[in-house]
Amino acid sequence: MNKVVASAEEAIKDINDNATLMLGGFGLCGIPENTIAALVKKGVKGLTCISNNAGVDDFGIGLMLKTRQVKKMISSYVGENAEFERQLLSGELEVELIPQGTLATRCLASGYGMPAIFTPAGVGTEVAEGKETRKFMVDGVEKEFLMEMAFDSDFAIVKAWKADTHGNLVFRETARNFNPMMAMAGKITIAEVEEIVEAGQLDPDHIHTPGIYVHRVFKGEKYEKRIEQRTVRKK
Amino acid sequence: MLDKIGIAKRIAREIKDGYYVNLGIGIPTLVANYIPQGMNVVLQSENGLLGMGPFPFEGEEDPDLINAGKQTITTVPGSAFFDSAMSFGMIRSRKVDLTILGAMEVADNGDIANWKIPGKMVKGMGGAMDLVASAKNIIVAMQHVNKANESKLLTKCTLPLTGVKCVKKIVTELAVLDVTAQGFKLLERAPGISVEQIKNATEGRLIIEGDIPEMKIE
């Protein structure tokens, strides 16, 4: 059950052109920054990326946009990336914007083995166009829901705080965000972490993602953990 | 007329003891600063935190600890972290008592548009569509008119919708209004603003019944 691989390069060895990837993180928080660097270095192209955000111009997924490796982004919010906006408006990049809760729950559905979910998010908006709807009674009132499909993703790439050698994962603070659901949803799941410990060193009660969902784990070489909006108060 | 802080202060008065509240980006974020002392309120940040605290002291920023606006924040005693699916689970299952968010347009039937300007702004809806589709109570903080002095409280939204028939209350620089089956119901005037001025600034159906009091802001 040893899931540990030596490096990001080894972890992504079978990610080839035109793959569909899920990438964890919210903004720049909890993103798999070492794997993204390795994907940029490898130069795979035509990628479809499912990720809540698209990074910033010079960090996160923004690095893969700059090198034109991304064919399509599926995200909820892409506001902080000028290169993204340029590629979108010029038609170089295909983009599907979907509600954040829908994105999270479509990942969850994949990991739970459910083909679809029903959500009220987007009913009556352009998000609902062409989608099957169904009415259910909620608190005694009939309400309309959209059917949204589970994601089908070749790889999920997540960032955790700690892992053990069996691939059990523990996340830290709000760097958890989309990582646990994406970890459950990849056909192959790659986790990069800050620390790997021996099996038995993590309390089984404290595992966020059981290792059965995780195929490869490696320790990130370094973590920049860039802060997008540094807000402080005076002492 | 109210400034942004005035709007935030007035909205803070809608928060009740024991509420779980989700605050959007912009003016709604400021509301946190005016929640009355001693009131038990838990702030939900949809990226995975219940119990959002103030900004960290200089030098104590933690890159793993941010809010939905990607700002560095802190926790408070009793905070809890969770993943994004659970976060929207608690929103969808109506555990969050109050959602406060901004808007570009609101219609007199409660429709809201706040995520897209075709051809201009393509940032995405983030969690706004999930929040407005499920929230028990939505208060919108917005400007009554745009820079060209055109009303943003309309009969029908002109921008792509975020959600339908969901807004319950609106606080603008001019007024506090409820959204009712008959349209916008004027509840309070901002200091120094007349009913006439509010009428002129409101394109959607406006209900004015009896004397409209001036709002009290500390």
Side-chain angles (χ1 to χ4, degrees):
Chain A
M1 284 303 152
N2 190 356
K3 308 283 176 77
V4 180
V5 298
S7 64
E9 289 68 29
E10 191 183 336
I12 64 160
K13 62 181 190 297
D14 50 354
I15 299 184
N16 296 315
D17 289 355
N18 305 311
T20 297
L21 313 179
M22 284 178 166
L23 295 121
F26 183 95
L28 300 178
C29 180
I31 60 170
E33 52 181 280
N34 289 278
T35 312
I36 291 170
L39 287 165
V40 170
K41 202 169 149 200
K42 185 171 179 180
V44 280
K45 289 197 162 51
L47 301 173
T48 296
C49 294
I50 302 165
S51 174
N52 189 55
N53 310 91
V56 294
D57 283 321
D58 59 345
F59 202 58
I61 293 174
L63 295 170
M64 295 200 289
L65 289 167
K66 212 182 239 175
T67 48
R68 312 280 178 87
Q69 291 173 270
V70 183
K71 179 181 70 183
K72 182 177 181 180
M73 279 299 313
I74 301 174
S75 303
S76 88
Y77 189 81
V78 294
E80 323 303 337
N81 194 316
E83 175 63 13
F84 182 98
E85 204 151 343
R86 193 197 64 71
Q87 288 186 23
L88 173 61
L89 292 171
S90 70
E92 291 164 64
L93 181 68
E94 208 182 319
V95 177
E96 193 181 330
L97 291 169
I98 61 176
Q100 195 176 136
T102 301
L103 176 60
T105 315
R106 287 175 66 187
C107 296
L108 190 83
S110 304
Y112 276 48
M114 300 182 296
I117 58 152
F118 287 95
T119 176
V123 167
T125 76
E126 62 183 51
V127 166
E129 282 166 19
K131 283 179 187 154
E132 197 173 326
T133 64
R134 227 181 122 165
K135 287 179 176 163
F136 295 97
M137 294 299 282
V138 178
D139 298 334
V141 183
E142 198 176 61
K143 191 168 170 168
E144 193 168 309
F145 290 78
L146 297 183
M147 187 167 80
E148 297 275 11
M149 307 310 287
F151 280 120
D152 189 12
S153 180
D154 301 321
F155 295 88
I157 301 167
V158 303
K159 153 73 178 46
W161 181 37
K162 285 183 186 178
D164 68 14
T165 50
H166 281 208
N168 292 306
L169 304 180
V170 178
F171 301 92
R172 183 170 180 270
E173 298 178 337
T174 55
R176 191 185 314 184
N177 56 63
F178 286 82
N179 285 301
M181 289 92 62
M182 288 186 172
M184 294 192 301
K187 287 194 187 79
I188 300 283
T189 290
I190 298 164
E192 61 165 87
V193 302
E194 294 177 49
E195 187 185 353
I196 299 176
V197 299
E198 287 302 318
Q201 301 286 300
L202 296 175
D203 184 339
D205 263 334
H206 294 170
I207 304 293
H208 294 130
T209 298
I212 191 168
Y213 285 115
V214 178
H215 303 86
R216 298 168 199 162
V217 177
F218 74 94
K219 185 173 178 299
E221 206 173 306
K222 65 174 175 57
Y223 283 96
E224 179 182 339
K225 293 198 185 181
R226 195 182 294 185
I227 292 173
E228 206 163 329
Q229 307 276 344
R230 189 179 299 272
T231 47
V232 296
R233 64 191 150 131
K234 293 254 181 254
K235 264 187 201 172
Chain B
M1 198 184 304
L2 297 180
D3 57 7
K4 284 178 180 176
I5 288 174
I7 294 174
K9 281 182 174 173
R10 178 59 191 82
I11 290 177
R13 282 176 41 208
E14 301 292 323
I15 296 174
K16 295 191 173 68
D17 198 43
Y19 264 18
Y20 289 95
V21 181
N22 180 288
L23 301 176
I25 295 162
I27 298 175
T29 306
L30 300 173
V31 173
N33 301 333
Y34 304 104
I35 296 167
Q37 290 270 321
M39 201 180 258
N40 263 310
V41 172
V42 176
L43 300 178
Q44 198 249 18
S45 192
E46 68 266 23
N47 56 320
L49 169 63
L50 272 169
M52 179 168 58
F55 294 149
F57 289 120
E58 248 176 307
E60 292 176 10
E61 310 92 285
D62 178 349
D64 288 339
L65 183 48
I66 63 167
N67 64 16
K70 286 120 189 173
Q71 297 170 311
T72 46
I73 46 154
T74 55
T75 54
V76 295
S79 283
F81 294 115
F82 37 84
D83 64 51
S84 301
M86 185 179 282
S87 182
F88 284 93
M90 62 186 72
I91 288 164
R92 218 179 285 117
S93 61
R94 298 160 78 88
K95 308 296 180 196
V96 176
D97 298 290
L98 176 61
T99 294
I100 302 170
L101 75 176
M104 299 192 270
E105 293 177 346
V106 173
D108 61 21
N109 67 347
D111 288 359
I112 179 172
N114 72 352
W115 76 281
K116 184 179 184 182
I117 303 171
K120 265 191 192 164
M121 191 186 88
V122 282
K123 291 179 186 303
M125 66 291 278
M129 283 194 181
D130 307 273
L131 282 158
V132 301
S134 300
K136 273 196 269 193
N137 191 4
I138 300 176
I139 301 180
V140 166
M142 68 187 291
Q143 299 298 318
H144 214 108
V145 293
N146 64 18
K147 281 175 189 139
N149 219 30
E150 294 160 340
S151 182
K152 294 162 71 163
L153 276 65
L154 306 169
T155 315
K156 195 172 187 300
C157 292
T158 64
L159 294 170
L161 293 180
T162 309
V164 294
K165 296 178 188 166
C166 53
V167 176
K168 300 284 194 292
K169 193 182 279 288
I170 303 165
V171 179
T172 74
E173 76 279 19
L174 303 180
V176 180
L177 311 103
D178 267 352
V179 179
T180 70
Q182 287 76 41
F184 300 119
K185 183 165 191 238
L186 183 58
L187 300 180
E188 295 173 22
R189 295 173 290 117
I193 298 296
S194 69
V195 170
E196 206 54 34
Q197 281 172 293
I198 296 163
K199 251 192 205 171
N200 291 337
T202 309
E203 191 263 336
R205 290 174 298 164
L206 182 65
I207 305 158
I208 303 163
E209 282 174 3
D211 278 343
I212 306 298
E214 192 171 283
M215 63 180 88
K216 292 177 182 68
I217 301 275
E218 278 162 40

